[in-house]
Amino acid sequence: MRFQLLGPLALADGPDTVVLQPSKPANLLAALLLHANSPVSTEYLQRAIWGEEQPATARAALQTCVLRLRRLFSKHGVTTSIDAVPGGYRITAAPPTLDLLGFRDRVRRAAGLDRDPEAELCALRDALSLWQGSLLANVRSVVLHRDEVPRLAEERLRAVERVCDLLLALGRCGEALVDLWTATRVHPGHERFHEQLIEALYRSGRQSQALAEYRRVKGFLLEELGVDPSPSLRRLELAVLRGEDLGPAGPAAPRVIRGETVALPAARPVTVPDAASSTAPDAASVMAPDAASAPDQGVPPVTAQGVSPAQAQGASPVTPQAASGVVAPGPTPVPAQGGPPVPAQGGPPAPAQGATPVAAPTPAAGTTFAPVATPRIEPVPAVPHFTGRAAEAAALTARLTAPPPPGPEDHRPLTVLVSGAPGIGKSALAQHAARLARDAFPAGQLLVRMTRADGEPRPADEVAADVAAALGAAGDGRALLILDDVVDADQVRTLLTLRGEAGAGPGPAVVVTSRMGLGGLIATHGGWVQRLTTFTETESYALLLTALGTERVEAEPRAAHRLAAVCGHFPAALRILTARLLTRPGLRLADAADWLGDDPLARLTLTDSPDHSVSGLFDRALGRLDPRLSEAFTHLAQGPPTLLDDRGPDDDGPVPEAVREQLADAGLLEDGPPGPYRIHDLLRAHVRRTARIRDRRTEKV
């Protein structure tokens, strides 16, 4: 159970949330949580509840409010207590149980990642994700909204400023613009946001829009406040008018934690390490099914032996240049959003796509290079304890190692599509088969992540530029690319047209993993498709044997089969379950089966990492859908199974067959015409549970 302050005041247990209705006990709880772990005086609490005009019986009424809160905690199983201390009360909380403390803790940890801008950016976005709407919208306390809410809002604004600074420093101006358009309109008097917006527009080549934005904010400040723009804004306007090179972006905003200002470090350019300073590990971090697409999975990472924690977490992915032992080019200037690398002023031209890059000359003193984000490409990692999918792995390996057909098609990439539902094991199978076939690819095997850490798809031209550079630095012979978690066909069409040089044999082999069926891609570019479904009962049992140990599982075989059945033989669910059971070696499997069967969705999550959960996995998958498809899928999942029957061409029912086919193509429906469609039991239960939570009435304290 955790408390939520960063939005409406609420109690949450997993996906279940109880939003408190406005009341005096709600005012009291908010005041205590805002000062968690510290004594709060009776006088302050009374003012927070009643304002400056307090009734004569305020002290006694305060005690009544405390009793009502304690009863509410008992009703919902909240173990946190409200303790009476000399002169007042105190409530104890920790980052996992109070979102405000969690936000501050994540911001503090992000501050320690200043040498890795990508990691710091992900940590800050993770912290900001805890904000759920208007702060304390259901708390009717004039004192709290006057004294506390502005201070908390300022903490959030500082984090948003830092996120935009990092995006600018990484050359991702397009992403920064998305945040800044909203921030400048919601906070029109916040000059730092306007400064960042103007800079992002100018760096994106939109000089006229940058000047128009400056005129707009200047007019607002004069009309509303009677002041001129800040000196930094005026200097920026002058630089834009002159068309000056702004140089590398550098964040200047401080960070606020617990109300204390912490200076931010200057931005550091991010450059691609060369082989002389980088050593490729034998393996990288791996996850169970679909591990390579971290935002999709909800499965805990298992670090392979010999890999540092930083590498395992993806903080500094190994570049293909380092892995191949080839010296990488020097610092590469950042392109316009989504474009190929372009040289800085006076720099050498970028290599043509697919050409072998040459080492860049050392820049002269004063030469400015824009910082570059670390490419999301790394050697294919091993998958420890790979279990099941024997037939699929053998077929995929045979396909990868088969000699290409003779003739002109030699120079077209061999393409294999591994598709299926989220969490079904696509990435694990692709990586395992690639490792088995590694001798057929002397130029190396590269894992190319097609989504960012926040789940957003990477632009096709950005990926193509990264892949071209990686292949240019690879060794002789044929290479293998795993394009992991492809969102749509347009992301990979360019990569499937790569050809080997004349007389040099076929181009790289390509394995695509995607939730989507991508039938149009296969129709136009050819290839072979491996569609994955859930494990068989035998494969599920084998996974439990491998993960938990033969002795533990064979002591209770019936209970093990029950556990697999409750998980629906779904690979991601089984991996989360085994991770939980490994942390409790003394728990009997029969007891675990009973406990899990009571509420599988709520318990198929890792308590120390709530993002790793089956519900979270499904939420992220449904979040990618077009809203109309999402609505149709919700209707199907909440309705009777007969809605999924094939009614023939003359009777589409409430959800037309064309829509059902799109949902099947997205991996959310199984099978389909000429047979019936099916929804996995866990997915159906998740949709129904989410609907119940959404429709639940707010509870009055």
Side-chain angles (χ1 to χ4, degrees):
M1 184 70 72
R2 63 187 184 279
F3 298 100
Q4 294 182 344
L5 269 178
L6 305 180
L9 180 62
L11 301 177
D13 183 11
D16 295 331
T17 302
V18 176
V19 178
L20 305 183
Q21 283 195 352
S23 64
K24 291 180 175 59
N27 292 2
L28 170 62
L29 179 59
L32 290 170
L33 290 174
L34 286 166
H35 302 276
N37 304 317
S38 300
V40 186
S41 68
T42 300
E43 291 75 15
Y44 177 83
L45 292 175
Q46 290 174 187
R47 285 194 300 113
I49 296 172
W50 288 282
E52 305 300 340
E53 300 290 335
Q54 301 171 24
T57 58
R59 185 173 293 271
L62 173 62
Q63 295 174 349
T64 301
C65 290
V66 171
L67 289 175
R68 290 173 63 184
L69 280 181
R70 287 171 174 166
R71 291 194 195 101
L72 177 70
F73 288 4
S74 177
K75 174 182 176 182
H76 290 284
V78 180
T79 57
T80 302
S81 60
I82 299 176
D83 302 318
V85 297
Y89 294 90
R90 179 180 59 206
I91 192 168
T92 303
T97 58
L98 176 58
D99 58 359
L100 175 59
L101 298 183
F103 170 75
R104 288 170 172 165
D105 181 63
R106 296 180 193 190
V107 170
R108 185 179 295 104
R109 283 189 279 120
L113 299 172
D114 59 282
R115 293 184 181 275
D116 188 343
E118 283 281 5
E120 183 181 1
L121 178 62
C122 290
L124 285 173
R125 285 202 184 279
D126 186 37
L128 289 168
S129 69
L130 296 175
W131 290 74
Q132 301 295 324
S134 182
L135 199 63
L136 299 182
N138 56 335
V139 174
R140 306 292 169 78
S141 169
V142 174
V143 170
L144 295 183
H145 281 276
R146 182 193 66 201
D147 300 340
E148 302 293 344
V149 168
R151 177 173 59 84
L152 296 183
E154 185 63 23
E155 291 188 48
R156 179 181 178 277
L157 292 181
R158 293 296 186 185
V160 174
E161 280 183 21
R162 178 60 174 171
V163 164
C164 295
D165 279 328
L166 288 167
L167 289 171
L168 291 174
L170 290 167
R172 290 154 61 176
C173 298
E175 291 181 54
L177 286 171
V178 174
D179 294 331
L180 289 168
W181 282 122
T182 301
T184 53
R185 274 51 184 172
V186 175
H187 306 283
H190 198 96
E191 287 188 66
R192 177 60 184 151
F193 285 147
H194 292 286
E195 186 177 343
Q196 290 173 316
L197 176 59
I198 294 167
E199 180 180 345
L201 288 168
Y202 182 56
R203 288 182 182 275
S204 301
R206 297 153 71 173
Q207 184 181 22
S208 60
Q209 284 184 269
L211 291 171
E213 180 63 22
Y214 176 81
R215 289 193 293 269
R216 196 190 70 81
V217 66
K218 180 180 180 180
F220 171 83
L221 293 172
L222 286 173
E223 292 175 12
E224 299 295 328
L225 305 175
V227 298
D228 290 320
S230 65
S232 60
L233 263 175
R234 295 199 297 271
R235 285 194 297 270
L236 181 59
E237 181 215 15
L238 188 59
V240 174
L241 285 169
R242 291 173 174 174
E244 295 177 354
D245 182 1
L246 299 182
R255 182 183 285 107
V256 176
I257 303 172
R258 292 180 178 273
E260 301 174 0
T261 301
V262 180
L264 293 177
R268 293 177 173 83
V270 186
T271 57
V272 180
D274 59 25
S277 61
S278 301
T279 302
D282 292 331
S285 66
V286 296
M287 298 174 97
D290 286 4
S293 305
D296 291 347
Q297 305 319 317
V299 185
V302 182
T303 304
Q305 206 170 18
V307 182
S308 70
Q311 291 166 334
Q313 293 169 8
S316 299
V318 180
T319 63
Q321 292 92 331
S324 63
V326 178
V327 177
T332 304
V334 162
Q337 185 69 14
V342 295
Q345 291 179 352
Q353 185 166 328
T356 302
V358 295
T362 303
T367 301
T368 299
F369 286 98
V372 178
T374 305
R376 288 178 60 81
I377 300 180
E378 60 182 296
V380 174
V383 182
H385 309 303
F386 183 85
T387 305
R389 309 289 191 206
E392 293 90 342
L396 181 52
T397 304
R399 182 68 59 169
L400 293 176
T401 55
E409 293 298 316
D410 284 0
H411 301 281
R412 291 194 63 183
L414 164 69
T415 305
V416 179
L417 169 64
V418 181
S419 62
I424 206 68
K426 303 180 291 294
S427 299
L429 174 64
Q431 293 171 35
H432 180 66
R435 299 282 294 189
L436 293 177
R438 60 183 176 272
D439 291 341
F441 302 98
Q445 301 168 301
L446 300 177
L447 178 66
V448 184
R449 305 183 191 278
M450 303 298 289
T451 55
R452 304 191 190 280
D454 58 3
E456 287 298 310
R458 298 177 64 199
D461 45 7
E462 174 190 308
V463 177
D466 284 351
V467 169
L471 292 178
D476 295 332
R478 200 179 190 197
L480 171 66
L481 301 176
I482 296 181
L483 309 181
D484 193 57
D485 196 22
V486 170
V487 176
D488 56 47
D490 289 338
Q491 266 194 309
V492 295
R493 291 189 192 279
T494 303
L495 300 175
L496 297 186
T497 59
L498 294 173
R499 297 173 182 266
E501 296 180 4
V510 179
V511 177
V512 174
T513 74
S514 178
R515 300 171 186 176
M516 307 300 294
L518 303 183
L521 186 71
I522 297 298
T524 57
H525 289 73
W528 180 72
V529 179
Q530 177 66 66
R531 183 82 173 182
L532 298 185
T533 59
T534 55
F535 276 163
T536 64
E537 187 172 350
T538 302
E539 288 175 325
S540 297
Y541 190 79
L543 186 147
L544 295 177
L545 282 172
T546 303
L548 301 178
T550 303
E551 182 178 355
R552 186 176 184 184
V553 174
E554 291 190 345
E556 301 178 82
R558 290 187 178 180
H561 283 291
R562 283 177 56 207
L563 284 170
V566 173
C567 290
H569 305 289
F570 199 71
L574 288 166
R575 286 292 184 181
I576 292 173
L577 170 67
T578 55
R580 296 206 66 167
L581 292 177
L582 284 171
T583 63
R584 299 183 182 182
L587 180 64
R588 294 176 61 249
L589 298 188
D591 294 336
D594 293 337
W595 167 80
L596 181 64
D598 289 341
D599 194 349
L601 281 174
R603 289 165 180 172
L604 284 171
T605 184
L606 301 181
T607 54
D608 61 336
S609 183
D611 289 340
H612 291 138
S613 66
V614 170
S615 290
L617 176 68
F618 290 154
D619 276 336
R620 289 187 288 272
L622 294 171
R624 282 191 186 179
L625 286 181
D626 178 278
R628 291 169 295 180
L629 283 179
S630 180
E631 182 179 352
F633 183 72
T634 300
H635 181 73
L636 289 173
Q638 289 185 275
T642 53
L643 285 180
L644 295 168
D645 291 344
D646 181 16
R647 303 167 182 266
D650 298 328
D651 185 7
D652 271 342
V655 179
E657 183 177 314
V659 174
R660 285 177 279 167
E661 274 291 277
Q662 292 181 63
L663 292 170
D665 191 59
L668 299 175
L669 295 183
E670 301 170 3
D671 291 339
Y677 297 92
R678 299 194 310 276
I679 298 177
H680 192 279
D681 289 343
L682 285 178
L683 183 53
R684 184 186 291 274
H686 169 75
V687 173
R688 291 179 173 178
R689 179 192 184 99
T690 302
R692 288 197 303 271
I693 295 169
R694 185 179 60 246
D695 297 338
R696 178 183 293 178
R697 294 180 301 173
T698 57
E699 178 164 342
K700 185 175 180 179
V701 181

